[in-house]
Amino acid sequence: MLKAVIVDDEKPAIDILKIFLEKTGQVAVINTFQNPKKALNEIEKLKPDVVFLDVEMCGMSGIEVASNISLMDHNSEIVFVTAYDRYALQAFKVNALAYLLKPVLEKDINKTVKRLMKVCGELPMKQEVKLQARIQCFGEFEVYSNLSGQPLKWRTSKSKELMAYFFENRGIPISKWKLCEVLWPEGNQDKIDINLHTTIYKMKKTLRNSNIDVDVKFVNKAYVMNMKGVYSDLDEFDSLVEDKIVISDSNINKYEKAFSLYTNNYFEEDDYYWSIDLKEVYLQKFIRISKNLADFYIEKHNYDRAIIVIKKGMKISPLEEDLHETLLYIYVLTNDRISFLNHYDSLLELFTEELGIEPRNTLKGMYKKMVSNCG
């Protein structure tokens, strides 16, 4: 008999799910919670085999609850039950066993319980995967060996790029033609097959020499890479950041952590043309976090912290006008005329002399108001 906990802020959803689960005769619902924070405190004591989680809840998201559960000594399986399909990728990044959409159907519960019985039956005490490597994606792409703690030295730049591309597409089948197009877009077609096989060999040998177990299989004319025991700053960032970034007292710690993880843009130091789209996606997330964090600190009158956040944001994205406007606004709030005028002058030089455009009207208005106050 599996021990289960249900966490959902809607009581009717809990009642229906409980009925379906107990009807299987293989699951005992030992507790239910409408408050996710209270659930977290109790789950560590209850040590359930499985936790059924809603995603969007007041106070704390299901993704955040699952991330915290993964840090506990007792490993519980996670099953998400939600009305939204847009969180599926985040859900599986926190190792969810299943992702069910509301309204939940009895047949889906029966299927999920069969999977749970198989997993929990084969692994009564789920073994913790030993960390083999750490992967850095923000800034320069690096793979660090857990043995030495040092970044791997790749035999060729192409073997490193291949690893980066595999990591970006981990778990996704990639045809050999796509790999060749990515690595040798203008290469000699006669040698491409040989180059690919040689590069895969060199990549795998570099990883194997550092005791990093990366499974690369060729199935149905496509390569698939799967990784176990690997930490990455990108995965942690994704686990912390929700689609809709709203920062509050209840989640400020996780957004501060995400902000600190973003040391530079995705693969910033690597000239990988294929990473441009994802680089822009993460940059826009970082900008929103920077702006929202600063707004949060301004509301708390913690202006020093807000300035630190904004200046880091501008260092990474110097042309983002929203960040400049927020910084100038802080100087207005703190009546720091000298800092305001100095920054506005540097902003004016950046925009007019280097880009040939003028700052937006709201910035000009702030400048005129500050100058008139000086007079």
Side-chain angles (χ1 to χ4, degrees), residues 39-48 68-69 71-74:
L40 260 183
N41 292 332
E42 295 299 318
I43 285 170
E44 194 158 17
K45 303 173 188 174
L46 294 169
K47 302 188 185 319
N68 280 276
I69 290 174
L71 299 176
M72 295 178 181
D73 291 336
H74 178 79

Short mmCIF file of all heavy atoms in Angstrom, two decimals, residues 39-48 68-69 71-74:
data_model
loop_
_atom_site.label_atom_id
_atom_site.label_comp_id
_atom_site.label_asym_id
_atom_site.label_seq_id
_atom_site.Cartn_x
_atom_site.Cartn_y
_atom_site.Cartn_z
N ALA A 39 2.04 22.11 4.27
CA ALA A 39 2.28 20.78 3.70
C ALA A 39 3.76 20.43 3.75
O ALA A 39 4.14 19.31 4.12
CB ALA A 39 1.76 20.72 2.27
N LEU A 40 4.62 21.39 3.38
CA LEU A 40 6.06 21.14 3.37
C LEU A 40 6.57 20.75 4.75
O LEU A 40 7.38 19.83 4.89
CB LEU A 40 6.80 22.39 2.89
CG LEU A 40 7.27 22.42 1.44
CD1 LEU A 40 8.04 23.69 1.17
CD2 LEU A 40 8.12 21.20 1.11
N ASN A 41 6.08 21.43 5.77
CA ASN A 41 6.52 21.13 7.14
C ASN A 41 6.12 19.72 7.56
O ASN A 41 6.87 19.02 8.24
CB ASN A 41 5.93 22.14 8.12
CG ASN A 41 6.49 23.54 7.92
OD1 ASN A 41 7.62 23.69 7.47
ND2 ASN A 41 5.72 24.55 8.25
N GLU A 42 4.93 19.29 7.12
CA GLU A 42 4.41 17.99 7.54
C GLU A 42 4.95 16.84 6.69
O GLU A 42 5.10 15.72 7.18
CB GLU A 42 2.88 18.00 7.49
CG GLU A 42 2.23 18.95 8.48
CD GLU A 42 2.58 18.60 9.92
OE1 GLU A 42 2.57 17.40 10.26
OE2 GLU A 42 2.87 19.52 10.70
N ILE A 43 5.21 17.10 5.41
CA ILE A 43 5.67 16.03 4.50
C ILE A 43 6.97 15.41 5.00
O ILE A 43 7.17 14.20 4.91
CB ILE A 43 5.80 16.58 3.06
CG1 ILE A 43 4.42 16.74 2.44
CG2 ILE A 43 6.67 15.65 2.19
CD1 ILE A 43 4.42 17.48 1.12
N GLU A 44 7.85 16.25 5.55
CA GLU A 44 9.13 15.73 6.04
C GLU A 44 8.92 14.76 7.20
O GLU A 44 9.68 13.82 7.38
CB GLU A 44 10.03 16.89 6.47
CG GLU A 44 11.47 16.48 6.67
CD GLU A 44 12.44 17.65 6.57
OE1 GLU A 44 11.99 18.80 6.66
OE2 GLU A 44 13.63 17.38 6.40
N LYS A 45 7.84 14.97 7.96
CA LYS A 45 7.55 14.06 9.08
C LYS A 45 6.78 12.83 8.60
O LYS A 45 7.03 11.71 9.06
CB LYS A 45 6.70 14.80 10.13
CG LYS A 45 7.33 16.06 10.68
CD LYS A 45 6.34 16.79 11.58
CE LYS A 45 6.87 18.16 12.01
NZ LYS A 45 5.85 18.93 12.76
N LEU A 46 5.87 13.02 7.66
CA LEU A 46 5.01 11.94 7.19
C LEU A 46 5.75 10.93 6.30
O LEU A 46 5.39 9.76 6.25
CB LEU A 46 3.81 12.51 6.42
CG LEU A 46 2.82 13.34 7.23
CD1 LEU A 46 1.84 14.06 6.30
CD2 LEU A 46 2.06 12.46 8.22
N LYS A 47 6.75 11.43 5.55
CA LYS A 47 7.54 10.59 4.64
C LYS A 47 6.65 9.75 3.70
O LYS A 47 6.71 8.51 3.70
CB LYS A 47 8.49 9.67 5.42
CG LYS A 47 9.47 10.42 6.31
CD LYS A 47 10.49 9.49 6.90
CE LYS A 47 11.42 10.17 7.90
NZ LYS A 47 11.88 11.50 7.55
N PRO A 48 5.80 10.41 2.91
CA PRO A 48 4.92 9.65 2.00
C PRO A 48 5.70 9.06 0.83
O PRO A 48 6.80 9.51 0.49
CB PRO A 48 3.94 10.73 1.52
CG PRO A 48 4.74 11.99 1.57
CD PRO A 48 5.63 11.86 2.78
N ASN A 68 11.63 21.75 -2.95
CA ASN A 68 11.96 21.59 -1.54
C ASN A 68 11.88 20.14 -1.09
O ASN A 68 12.70 19.68 -0.30
CB ASN A 68 11.02 22.46 -0.68
CG ASN A 68 11.44 23.91 -0.63
OD1 ASN A 68 12.29 24.31 0.15
ND2 ASN A 68 10.86 24.71 -1.52
N ILE A 69 10.90 19.41 -1.61
CA ILE A 69 10.77 17.99 -1.26
C ILE A 69 12.01 17.22 -1.72
O ILE A 69 12.48 16.31 -1.04
CB ILE A 69 9.49 17.40 -1.89
CG1 ILE A 69 8.25 17.98 -1.20
CG2 ILE A 69 9.48 15.87 -1.79
CD1 ILE A 69 6.94 17.58 -1.84
N LEU A 71 14.94 18.05 -1.65
CA LEU A 71 16.08 18.28 -0.75
C LEU A 71 15.96 17.50 0.56
O LEU A 71 16.89 17.48 1.36
CB LEU A 71 16.20 19.77 -0.44
CG LEU A 71 16.44 20.70 -1.65
CD1 LEU A 71 16.44 22.15 -1.20
CD2 LEU A 71 17.76 20.36 -2.32
N MET A 72 14.80 16.88 0.77
CA MET A 72 14.58 16.16 2.03
C MET A 72 15.33 14.83 2.03
O MET A 72 15.65 14.27 0.99
CB MET A 72 13.08 15.92 2.23
CG MET A 72 12.27 17.19 2.41
SD MET A 72 10.50 16.83 2.59
CE MET A 72 9.85 18.51 2.75
N ASP A 73 15.57 14.32 3.22
CA ASP A 73 16.27 13.03 3.36
C ASP A 73 15.46 11.90 2.75
O ASP A 73 15.99 10.97 2.15
CB ASP A 73 16.55 12.74 4.84
CG ASP A 73 17.59 13.68 5.42
OD1 ASP A 73 18.39 14.22 4.63
OD2 ASP A 73 17.58 13.89 6.64
N HIS A 74 14.14 11.95 2.95
CA HIS A 74 13.26 10.91 2.39
C HIS A 74 12.81 11.35 1.00
O HIS A 74 12.27 12.44 0.83
CB HIS A 74 12.06 10.72 3.30
CG HIS A 74 11.08 9.70 2.76
ND1 HIS A 74 11.28 8.35 2.89
CD2 HIS A 74 9.92 9.85 2.08
CE1 HIS A 74 10.26 7.71 2.33
NE2 HIS A 74 9.43 8.59 1.82
#
